[in-house]
Amino acid sequence: MRGIFIFAKESFMAVKKYKKSDDISYALGATVTMELLNRRGTCARCVYVSPKSEVTAVVDKAKSLGIPVVESEKAFNILSPKENCYVIGEFSKFASQAKSDRHHVVLVNPSNSGNLGTIMRDVAAFDCADLIIIRPAVDNFDPKTVRASMGAVFGINVEVFDSFEQYIAKYADRVVMPFMLNGSPFGKTRFDADKKYSLVFGNEATGLPDDYAKYNPVRIEQSDKVDSLNLSVAVSVALYKLYVS
Amino acid sequence: MRGIFIFAKESFMAVKKYKKSDDISYALGATVTMELLNRRGTCARCVYVSPKSEVTAVVDKAKSLGIPVVESEKAFNILSPKENCYVIGEFSKFASQAKSDRHHVVLVNPSNSGNLGTIMRDVAAFDCADLIIIRPAVDNFDPKTVRASMGAVFGINVEVFDSFEQYIAKYADRVVMPFMLNGSPFGKTRFDADKKYSLVFGNEATGLPDDYAKYNPVRIEQSDKVDSLNLSVAVSVALYKLYVS
């Protein structure tokens, strides 16, 4: 089987532990790497394959794109020491832009890598909105986020802003709908088909600052048996309703 | 601070690694242990506190219920070696029953402990349905499930059956609504306020067997950018709509 690989010497690429400031990141696992190759193949730099693996589809795909395949134990020890991971796709970070004629999911100061990835997956699943992230925020290219997104990060538009004001200045003419505990019941909301909506969610622990209340907030109804909804549950419930409306 | 503890010698309780066949399990962490004490205090057997911790609320609560508090490093090494966990609640497993006048969420052969816990949390959040589990299934008292539920396991009704036939024989007179990829659009579903619904979801990887199609299946609309929805996303989207209908 190994004969079909485009081998490259291990020294060809210098694998380093991921840092936010790097201009490259990593797709951990065969499924995520396949999404990288299929959807953002031009950003793929290299595919690492574990000597233990017998993965062929992802190697064939990399070959067809002319992307080097490196058999390396070391890459896995550095990037994914604890996990059952036998393929890693190295990619250049890329910028994408939201579209003004789409709805938006706006995450204000998200702080959990796994949550952000899960939300990217929700955004891909209910594909009617682009994703906006307001800093400070967790790194949207963190390998943990990329992995939790199951590669959705390669198929959606994500735009990052330094403040909500900068975002809303660029994308005016929308209905801003913040999700806050003191909002009106979301279940009664009717979306106007002629309008574009920005569904705005706060930080996992602290929610949105009070001044978002000026935008007519809504609240996803919930029982008093839980303190609050998980952020990705809130996003999927809200986005699904917009998707089918 | 230690003076307020009801100390018990470490030998008082023999801590063992969790096994599914045991009649006891463990709530890992202060939040989850507090839910145990508040909602199923009669099942609590003992609270372990790490020598590193300064937790008092949970200790006060255990004291008020007459539950022994044991300061033990060993318990944490055995039960939670890798995690930031400073309180563990040991409890006797308990049986609960679904109610015939409530809706049900039915999980057929769930296989992921974390997913099951997350779904328990959804069931607590959108509190209109009891949870049914059809075996073979992941252990609903696994400490990983208990933790992922954030203690919701102590506040909801969960009933386990050996087969779907046994379940439906006991709980007749309901609308069985299986979620399958070839179902009709869930977004168009209108719930009849006079009826009780059983929302039925299959295994994370394999879905429901084909013979569930006889019950008029529905499908949560989704784009082709993802292979399938995460099980807990599907449950929360479906259950929220039932909750607010």
Side-chain angles (χ1 to χ4, degrees):
Chain A
M1 290 305 282
R2 297 306 191 190
I4 64 163
F5 286 22
I6 301 173
F7 275 104
K9 292 210 179 96
E10 271 206 42
S11 58
F12 182 78
M13 297 279 167
V15 181
K16 292 175 301 181
K17 216 170 146 75
Y18 175 76
K19 285 204 317 282
K20 188 174 178 172
S21 56
D22 294 343
D23 61 358
I24 60 166
S25 184
Y26 302 95
L28 306 181
T31 307
V32 187
T33 300
M34 202 58 162
E35 287 295 302
L36 162 66
L37 298 177
N38 282 331
R39 298 185 186 275
R40 291 274 177 182
T42 53
C43 298
R45 291 164 45 101
C46 163
V47 171
Y48 297 101
V49 182
S50 161
K52 292 173 205 150
S53 91
E54 282 294 338
V55 189
T56 55
V58 70
V59 168
D60 290 346
K61 182 72 189 175
K63 271 181 68 172
S64 74
L65 297 172
I67 294 161
V69 177
V70 180
E71 196 177 72
S72 164
E73 180 103 46
K74 200 176 109 191
F76 294 85
N77 294 338
I78 293 171
L79 296 171
S80 183
K82 288 177 202 162
E83 305 189 62
N84 286 332
C85 172
Y86 303 106
V87 178
I88 296 174
E90 181 178 298
F91 65 93
S92 301
K93 293 179 184 178
F94 51 88
S96 58
Q97 288 217 320
K99 294 213 166 78
S100 57
D101 63 352
R102 304 244 302 163
H103 303 302
H104 296 163
V105 168
V106 182
L107 302 181
V108 179
N109 312 143
S111 61
N112 181 290
S113 307
N115 254 347
L116 178 57
T118 308
I119 290 168
M120 287 175 171
R121 201 166 135 72
D122 297 339
V123 166
F126 306 130
D127 184 21
C128 63
D130 295 331
L131 183 61
I132 307 290
I133 297 172
I134 309 294
R135 293 195 184 102
V138 68
D139 174 12
N140 52 313
F141 284 116
D142 188 302
K144 285 198 287 284
T145 304
V146 173
R147 183 161 207 179
S149 86
M150 293 181 67
V153 64
F154 303 118
I156 64 174
N157 295 322
V158 181
E159 192 167 345
V160 184
F161 288 88
D162 283 326
S163 72
F164 188 79
E165 290 65 33
Q166 285 183 14
Y167 159 66
I168 211 65
K170 178 167 178 184
Y171 295 101
D173 289 332
R174 351 191 90 236
V175 181
V176 175
M177 184 179 282
F179 285 73
M180 303 177 78
L181 289 177
N182 57 357
S184 58
F186 178 68
K188 299 206 163 68
T189 302
R190 294 290 165 267
F191 293 109
D192 183 336
D194 296 330
K195 294 185 173 154
K196 293 301 156 198
Y197 288 82
S198 294
L199 310 181
V200 185
F201 299 87
N203 173 271
E204 293 90 339
T206 58
L208 284 171
D210 288 344
D211 57 338
Y212 283 82
K214 69 186 173 198
Y215 293 112
N216 296 322
V218 294
R219 172 180 184 272
I220 296 180
E221 300 88 331
Q222 61 189 76
S223 82
D224 56 7
K225 280 193 180 173
V226 295
D227 281 342
S228 64
L229 290 178
N230 177 286
L231 181 58
S232 82
V233 169
V235 171
S236 45
V237 161
L239 194 53
Y240 173 72
K241 181 166 171 163
L242 186 54
Y243 181 60
V244 297
S245 72
Chain B
M1 289 303 281
R2 296 307 191 190
I4 64 163
F5 286 23
I6 301 172
F7 275 104
K9 291 209 178 97
E10 272 207 42
S11 58
F12 182 77
M13 298 277 167
V15 180
K16 293 174 301 181
K17 215 169 147 73
Y18 174 77
K19 285 205 313 283
K20 189 174 179 173
S21 57
D22 295 344
D23 60 357
I24 60 167
S25 185
Y26 302 95
L28 306 181
T31 306
V32 188
T33 301
M34 203 57 161
E35 287 294 302
L36 163 65
L37 298 177
N38 282 331
R39 296 187 188 274
R40 290 274 177 179
T42 54
C43 297
R45 292 164 45 102
C46 165
V47 171
Y48 297 100
V49 182
S50 161
K52 292 172 205 149
S53 91
E54 282 294 337
V55 188
T56 56
V58 71
V59 168
D60 290 347
K61 182 70 189 178
K63 270 181 69 172
S64 75
L65 296 173
I67 293 162
V69 176
V70 181
E71 196 177 74
S72 164
E73 181 102 46
K74 201 175 106 190
F76 294 84
N77 293 339
I78 293 172
L79 296 170
S80 182
K82 289 178 202 160
E83 306 189 61
N84 286 332
C85 172
Y86 304 107
V87 178
I88 295 174
E90 180 179 298
F91 65 92
S92 301
K93 293 179 182 176
F94 51 89
S96 58
Q97 290 217 319
K99 295 214 167 79
S100 57
D101 63 351
R102 303 245 300 164
H103 303 302
H104 296 165
V105 168
V106 183
L107 302 181
V108 179
N109 312 143
S111 63
N112 181 291
S113 308
N115 254 347
L116 179 57
T118 308
I119 290 169
M120 287 176 171
R121 202 166 135 72
D122 297 338
V123 167
F126 305 130
D127 184 21
C128 64
D130 295 331
L131 183 61
I132 308 290
I133 297 172
I134 308 294
R135 292 193 184 104
V138 69
D139 175 11
N140 52 310
F141 285 117
D142 188 302
K144 284 200 286 286
T145 304
V146 172
R147 184 160 206 180
S149 86
M150 293 182 67
V153 64
F154 303 118
I156 63 172
N157 294 322
V158 182
E159 193 167 346
V160 184
F161 288 88
D162 283 325
S163 72
F164 189 79
E165 290 65 35
Q166 285 182 15
Y167 159 67
I168 209 67
K170 178 167 178 185
Y171 294 102
D173 289 332
R174 352 191 89 237
V175 180
V176 175
M177 184 179 281
F179 285 73
M180 303 178 77
L181 289 178
N182 57 357
S184 57
F186 178 68
K188 298 205 162 70
T189 302
R190 294 291 165 265
F191 292 109
D192 183 336
D194 295 331
K195 293 185 174 157
K196 293 302 156 196
Y197 289 82
S198 294
L199 311 180
V200 185
F201 299 88
N203 172 270
E204 292 90 340
T206 58
L208 284 172
D210 289 343
D211 58 337
Y212 282 83
K214 68 186 174 197
Y215 293 112
N216 296 323
V218 294
R219 172 178 186 272
I220 296 179
E221 299 88 331
Q222 61 191 73
S223 81
D224 56 7
K225 281 193 181 173
V226 296
D227 281 343
S228 64
L229 290 177
N230 178 287
L231 182 58
S232 81
V233 170
V235 172
S236 45
V237 161
L239 195 53
Y240 173 74
K241 181 165 171 166
L242 186 54
Y243 182 60
V244 298
S245 72

